Amino acid sequence: MHIAPSISEGAPAIELRDVTKRYPNGTLANEHVSLTIRAGEIHAICGENGAGKSTIMKMIYGLETPTSGQILINGQPARFTHPSQAIASGVGMVAQHLNLVPSLTIAENIVLGQEPRQSNGLLDRAAAEKAVADLASTYGLDVNPAAKVADCSIGTQQRVEILKTLYRGARIILMDEPTAVLTPQECDELFAAIQRLVASGVTVVIITHKLAEVKAISNRLTVLRDGKVTGAADTVDIDHKTIAEMMVGRPLSIPPVPRVDARDKTPLVVVRNLGHINNQGTIELSNVTLDVAPGEILGIAGVEGNGQDFLARVLSGLADPHSGTAEIGGDSFVGLGVRKAREMGMAAVPEDRLSDGVAATLSIDENLAATSYYHAPTSKFGWLNTSYIKQRGVELIKKFGVKTSSGKTPVAALSGGNMQKVVMARELSSQPRFFIAAQPTRGVDIGAAQGLRDEVIAARDRGCAVLLISADLEEVLALSDRIAVLFKGEITAHFRADTVDQREIGLYMTGLKRQPDASAQLSAPFATELQSTAS
């Protein structure tokens, strides 16, 4: 186990002095950034996507080098050119996408590259498991060293990543969007673990866009916008509204979304006993039954990897069901391909916009025409109507607020938020009867995200049946009229959105609770109703 250098008396854990980062292509990621992170504190670095947060983390950890300026670690100048140098100086990083080997045990993952060995050179498994158990006990990070990572929850895997940094002697831990895929209960456990780390003298830096967790866990915060520091404060002295305004540069007004009770309506979308098995033979969906009425939003909540992506792919025609049925207005629309589903009134914003939502090398105008190029008025007698495509591009770019100088701009040149606006514009401009919104605001700035959410609500209010699939539980609760929880490919609970909170849903997302015979039919009982009856 590596022991990190001691901290200079009174020195900040991290200090950036007038740091600028400009990439070879001319992109200015950070400009004259100065900030101080005190030893033994929890410091949040917040800002919208593209604000420069991740670049700062990468420079501190040796994945990038500053163009100018100075970084100091524990009072000593540091110009790391490789993460190994940062690790040697006591800096560890827990990335948003966890870097673990699923087939190895927890202990094997933690000691990987620094394994205790027997005299014959083989791994000393007993010593590794004891070292990990002792480390976990010291910091109150509960894990079973002998458990396979593949069998562990996301929350446990994150604890493993933290222990990996501690095993290598980290006294400063950088965490990138640490709660992105955690349930509320797992967030509580993570925050408690972070508090214990700080109590033992570890400094924790969190990159996040979630204002609630900034307030819940951090001691101080620094806000970035367009690569520059726009403010810093003690967390207790600043409210959510002010942080948000510092992030986006303008006041934000988010009115509450009025709820719709559609249980007395005839469902437009009827899904019964839907099942899907992946190419490896694993059951991804099992007996999924749900209704979506015209003019309502059914939200799907669940920890990522519990079948949400397969539900979206089957219902959008990208994958075939292995059992069950799905109908729009009484007509089957699954297993027939994407074009047939679209012709029946389905439109979809896919989870992975880069892979499934856009052709990055084509222009904005071409992407907007990608689902209608084969019929009038986009084409006639097999020839594209270029004047119509251009005019339609002008109209949709303006309506959805895509920031670009021209419809001829390649989509690859757009920010994530503007790219998502292009996808949303294309899909909603078809006036769908059934709209699948999978992770509609993932990787999108606060201001842009609100605009996209407004479009989802507007589609509902026009009479569209909306299926909202989001890993952001706050988003699901804010936008949905009803909510179904998916756990291991099955619906395990059904709620009215205005009668449940994140913590209650989290119990069903992790399998700790289950509603008997749960479905999301319009006529199906809500879990809260069953609870009140039982009590």
Side-chain angles (χ1 to χ4, degrees):
M1 187 185 304
H2 176 76
I3 304 299
S6 60
I7 299 173
S8 301
E9 187 68 30
I14 302 171
E15 188 177 1
L16 272 66
R17 296 178 180 173
D18 204 32
V19 169
T20 292
K21 174 63 180 181
R22 186 183 294 275
Y23 287 97
N25 65 1
T27 300
L28 186 63
N30 295 113
E31 185 176 9
H32 303 300
V33 171
S34 294
L35 62 86
T36 300
I37 296 169
R38 300 167 185 161
E41 75 169 348
I42 304 169
H43 195 107
I45 298 178
C46 31
E48 298 190 280
N49 282 1
K53 308 184 301 296
S54 294
T55 304
I56 284 177
M57 282 280 207
K58 289 175 181 177
M59 288 189 289
I60 294 171
Y61 194 56
L63 292 168
E64 299 282 358
T65 55
T67 304
S68 62
Q70 189 177 39
I71 297 175
L72 292 87
I73 304 295
N74 300 323
Q76 301 299 314
R79 191 172 177 84
F80 303 138
T81 57
H82 192 275
S84 60
Q85 297 169 314
I87 292 168
S89 296
V91 180
M93 186 172 185
V94 178
Q96 181 177 348
H97 302 290
L98 305 181
N99 298 308
L100 300 173
V101 182
S103 59
L104 299 184
T105 67
I106 286 176
E108 289 167 343
N109 268 278
I110 290 171
V111 304
L112 190 63
Q114 295 188 9
E115 300 91 338
R117 297 196 176 274
Q118 304 175 47
S119 57
N120 60 7
L122 297 177
L123 170 67
D124 189 336
R125 194 176 305 278
E129 292 185 357
K130 183 179 187 304
V132 169
D134 290 347
L135 193 65
S137 176
T138 297
Y139 291 99
L141 294 164
D142 182 32
V143 296
N144 174 6
K148 283 275 182 71
V149 163
D151 299 327
C152 297
S153 69
I154 296 296
T156 298
Q157 291 182 37
Q158 195 165 57
R159 290 196 290 275
V160 175
E161 285 281 17
I162 295 171
L163 286 166
K164 274 175 61 178
T165 69
L166 294 169
Y167 182 79
R168 287 154 180 77
R171 301 300 294 170
I172 300 169
I173 300 179
L174 314 174
M175 305 186 77
D176 189 1
E177 300 285 359
T179 66
V181 293
L182 300 185
T183 66
Q185 288 77 12
E186 288 172 327
C187 287
D188 290 344
E189 293 172 4
L190 173 65
F191 291 167
I194 289 173
Q195 295 283 12
R196 289 191 294 270
L197 290 171
V198 171
S200 71
V202 175
T203 302
V204 177
V205 183
I206 296 175
I207 279 186
T208 184
H209 69 279
K210 295 184 177 181
L211 304 188
E213 72 184 39
V214 171
K215 290 290 291 180
I217 189 64
S218 67
N219 304 118
R220 293 194 310 127
L221 63 92
T222 298
V223 180
L224 295 178
R225 185 173 73 247
D226 297 330
K228 302 175 183 177
V229 174
T230 58
D234 292 338
T235 308
V236 296
D237 296 333
I238 193 167
D239 59 22
H240 291 72
K241 181 173 178 288
T242 304
I243 299 172
E245 290 178 4
M246 289 166 66
M247 288 169 64
V248 302
R250 66 182 187 278
L252 280 178
S253 177
I254 305 176
V257 176
R259 308 288 183 176
V260 171
D261 186 348
R263 285 180 295 172
D264 60 347
K265 294 184 178 180
T266 301
L268 175 70
V269 179
V270 176
V271 178
R272 294 292 180 267
N273 302 312
L274 199 67
H276 179 76
I277 301 172
N278 68 19
N279 294 333
Q280 288 73 45
T282 303
I283 297 174
E284 299 289 356
L285 295 173
S286 178
N287 296 317
V288 172
T289 291
L290 59 86
D291 295 333
V292 191
E296 79 154 346
I297 298 175
L298 174 64
I300 302 294
V303 177
E304 288 197 73
N306 277 275
Q308 305 95 309
D309 53 342
F310 287 96
L311 178 61
R313 292 179 71 82
V314 170
L315 293 180
S316 62
L318 288 170
D320 293 337
H322 288 84
S323 60
T325 61
E327 299 176 347
I328 296 177
D331 297 317
S332 178
F333 72 99
V334 294
L336 304 174
V338 176
R339 181 175 292 188
K340 184 62 176 177
R342 287 186 175 279
E343 288 173 353
M344 297 178 66
M346 183 281 304
V349 171
E351 177 178 326
D352 187 341
R353 58 177 168 263
L354 272 174
S355 295
D356 300 325
V358 296
T361 58
L362 298 185
S363 70
I364 295 171
D365 288 346
E366 289 167 332
N367 272 275
L368 290 171
T371 58
S372 61
Y373 68 90
Y374 58 92
H375 61 71
T378 310
S379 65
K380 190 174 183 180
F381 304 123
W383 293 91
L384 291 175
N385 185 344
T386 54
S387 60
Y388 171 79
I389 291 172
K390 180 179 179 180
Q391 181 57 37
R392 183 169 179 263
V394 170
E395 293 171 359
L396 292 177
I397 286 168
K398 181 179 179 181
K399 179 179 178 182
F400 284 81
V402 181
K403 293 181 180 178
T404 180
S405 58
S406 167
K408 295 181 180 179
T409 301
V411 161
L414 301 178
S415 68
N418 281 299
M419 198 179 293
Q420 191 75 329
K421 288 177 183 179
V422 170
V423 177
M424 191 79 82
R426 183 187 64 221
E427 299 302 312
L428 289 178
S429 65
S430 67
Q431 298 296 310
R433 301 161 69 199
F434 176 39
F435 180 49
I436 303 167
Q439 317 297 348
T441 63
R442 171 173 286 173
V444 176
D445 301 340
I446 292 176
Q450 187 55 41
L452 294 171
R453 290 172 183 142
D454 290 343
E455 292 295 342
V456 173
I457 295 298
R460 179 200 70 178
D461 293 345
R462 289 194 299 269
C464 183
V466 179
L467 185 70
L468 171 67
I469 302 173
S470 177
D472 185 340
L473 199 47
E474 289 182 17
E475 181 169 74
V476 173
L477 281 165
L479 300 185
S480 304
D481 301 304
R482 293 183 297 127
I483 296 172
V485 178
L486 268 185
F487 176 68
K488 293 186 176 179
E490 298 181 9
I491 291 179
T492 58
H494 179 219
F495 296 101
R496 265 184 54 172
D498 57 357
T499 63
V500 68
D501 60 22
Q502 292 190 43
R503 295 185 180 282
E504 180 69 11
I505 291 178
L507 296 173
Y508 292 88
M509 288 169 61
T510 53
L512 295 175
K513 294 181 75 172
R514 185 185 184 101
Q515 178 183 344
D517 302 317
S519 83
Q521 292 176 251
L522 285 171
S523 60
F526 296 121
T528 46
E529 294 174 344
L530 295 176
Q531 291 168 4
S532 61
T533 302
S535 61

